Amino acid sequence: FDPSQVKYMKLEEIRLVPENARVGIDVRVIGNDAGEKLSILNGSISRVDRNAPAYGQITYNDFNTFYLQAASSLSGGSSGSPVIDINGDAVALQAGGRCEEATNFFLPLDRVKRALELIQDGKPIPRGTIQAEFIYETFDEIRRMGLPEDIEAMVRKVYPEGIGMLIAMTILPEGASSAAGMEPGDVLLRINGEIVTHFVLFEKYTDGNVGDSLSIQVVRNSKVIDLTVTVQDMHALTPSQYVVYGSSVVHNFAYQMAYSCNLPVRGVFVADPTELLQGVHKAEGVIVEKIDGKSVSNIDDFIRVMQTIPNHSQISIDFFTIDNIHEKKTVTMYIEHQWQKMRVYTRNDATGYWDCKRITDFAKAVELTS
């Protein structure tokens, strides 16, 4: 966004002040509720430590962050709109809500503000992950899981206003946390010697140590266990390239979807299987394992294998769906490159566009001689 390109409107700056978000304050959401051009709806923040809401399996779900909960009657259409306090400052962003209730969820601005400041300084935005999803649970619940009284007393002394701690809910197979020995149900205690009970501090460590190792202490079965976990680059696990083959869309299996399905972050995901999986009824959430007998583990493999297939060939495609990973399936496909054109789109962060490249160098068909 370049303010100098706006000619006929006076722009007003809205400051990002995430620290002003607290229980009980009245806010206004300036958005487009129900598709209207402009709406200003009121609300009151009731929670600042809600776990991220879940919107379904094959869709985007946030994690490893708190959400704000508010009593507000938004009906949809204002996602991404600023949540303004009495001083005219933004304390959050509208993110979602419950249609059957007057309850809405706001995204805190702590990491949003950090990202904006890095962009303004012309710097990259590092994002780290240990491939583990945590949720916030109260001390009462964690105590039932075996949290020793002395550890609870120590944590409460450091964070007297805190009411809980972070618990590992999902450990992705083949991920960094899995390799380090972390298990679901582990209670996060320390990172690099500092007691961590909130997502803001947790993200500070992961985002600030991409490629490095973290010394993590967890509580498991009333015992403190030391782990060494390598922080991976979240950008490298997020698809930045996709292939359009005929009418099908293919890309690397996304980091976000891996969490929803508790699967390793690998494989080729078919977002639109119409052309590739001809004749398969209602094929949704498809991950391709082999094409023409050759293993396909990422989008580069997919492009390479498809280029080796001559025109007018009949090939097999081995796949499974994320709702039934144990049932392997195979279909046959007839290749017609003149109709099933192949294009590769790569995200260009400098321009903000997707660069397109047409793939035409396929293997030539073998001529039969008498």
Side-chain angles (χ1 to χ4, degrees), residues 27 100 164 250 291 327 336 349:
V27 294
E100 70 276 8
V250 182
I291 297 178
E327 183 181 357
E336 293 181 297
D349 293 329

Side-chain angles (χ1 to χ4, degrees), residues 135-147:
I135 60 172
Y136 189 69
E137 287 286 2
T138 62
F139 283 115
D140 288 340
E141 182 64 27
I142 302 174
R143 203 179 300 121
R144 284 192 281 270
M145 300 175 64
L147 181 69

Side-chain angles (χ1 to χ4, degrees), residues 12-55:
E12 297 288 344
E13 180 183 13
I14 299 178
R15 297 191 308 153
L16 306 184
V17 190
E19 59 271 18
N20 283 357
R22 58 187 184 276
V23 174
I25 68 169
D26 291 332
V27 294
R28 300 291 186 272
V29 179
I30 303 177
N32 309 94
D33 193 59
E36 295 294 334
K37 183 177 181 180
L38 177 65
S39 61
I40 302 176
L41 297 177
N42 65 321
S44 300
I45 294 179
S46 56
R47 289 186 64 183
V48 295
D49 57 0
R50 189 196 191 282
N51 287 310
Y55 298 111

Side-chain angles (χ1 to χ4, degrees), residues 17 75 92 169 185 210 230 244 248 282 289 300:
V17 190
S75 61
M169 185 178 72
V210 176
T230 301
V244 176
S248 293
K282 294 183 178 180
E289 292 188 304
D300 292 329

Side-chain angles (χ1 to χ4, degrees), residues 290-305:
K290 291 183 179 180
I291 297 178
D292 199 26
K294 303 179 181 68
S295 296
V296 175
S297 59
N298 54 51
I299 196 67
D300 292 329
D301 287 346
F302 177 85
I303 297 172
R304 176 180 53 79
V305 171

Side-chain angles (χ1 to χ4, degrees), residues 156-329:
R156 286 183 179 272
K157 184 177 180 180
V158 176
Y159 298 103
E161 296 183 358
I163 62 171
M165 300 173 70
L166 300 178
I167 296 179
M169 185 178 72
T170 303
I171 307 296
L172 290 189
E174 304 177 15
S177 292
S178 176
M182 190 177 295
E183 299 179 2
D186 285 351
V187 181
L188 180 63
L189 181 57
R190 290 187 177 93
I191 299 180
N192 287 358
E194 183 176 8
I195 294 177
V196 176
T197 64
H198 284 68
F199 284 118
V200 173
L201 186 55
F202 174 82
E203 289 183 297
K204 179 181 177 181
Y205 274 108
T206 55
D207 291 346
N209 293 276
V210 176
D212 297 328
S213 295
L214 296 176
S215 298
I216 296 180
Q217 280 189 334
V218 298
V219 180
R220 183 190 305 163
N221 297 328
S222 302
K223 296 180 180 179
V224 176
I225 298 176
D226 293 299
L227 305 172
T228 300
V229 185
T230 301
V231 181
Q232 297 175 290
D233 185 1
M234 188 182 295
H235 295 307
L237 301 175
T238 304
S240 59
Q241 190 178 65
Y242 67 93
V243 173
V244 176
Y245 184 78
S247 60
S248 293
V249 179
V250 182
H251 56 73
N252 284 333
F253 189 48
Y255 177 69
Q256 296 282 344
M257 192 167 290
Y259 270 107
S260 298
C261 309
N262 195 22
L263 292 173
V265 188
R266 59 174 169 81
V268 172
F269 183 78
V270 186
D272 185 344
T274 306
E275 197 83 31
L276 279 177
L277 306 180
Q278 301 168 4
V280 178
H281 182 61
K282 294 183 178 180
E284 294 184 351
V286 169
I287 296 181
V288 174
E289 292 188 304
K290 291 183 179 180
I291 297 178
D292 199 26
K294 303 179 181 68
S295 296
V296 175
S297 59
N298 54 51
I299 196 67
D300 292 329
D301 287 346
F302 177 85
I303 297 172
R304 176 180 53 79
V305 171
M306 292 301 293
Q307 286 181 293
T308 65
I309 301 174
N311 200 18
H312 307 305
S313 300
Q314 191 167 11
I315 64 171
S316 62
I317 299 178
D318 300 336
F319 68 97
F320 64 90
T321 57
I322 58 178
D323 60 348
N324 189 359
I325 63 175
H326 302 293
E327 183 181 357
K328 308 299 182 179
K329 301 179 181 180

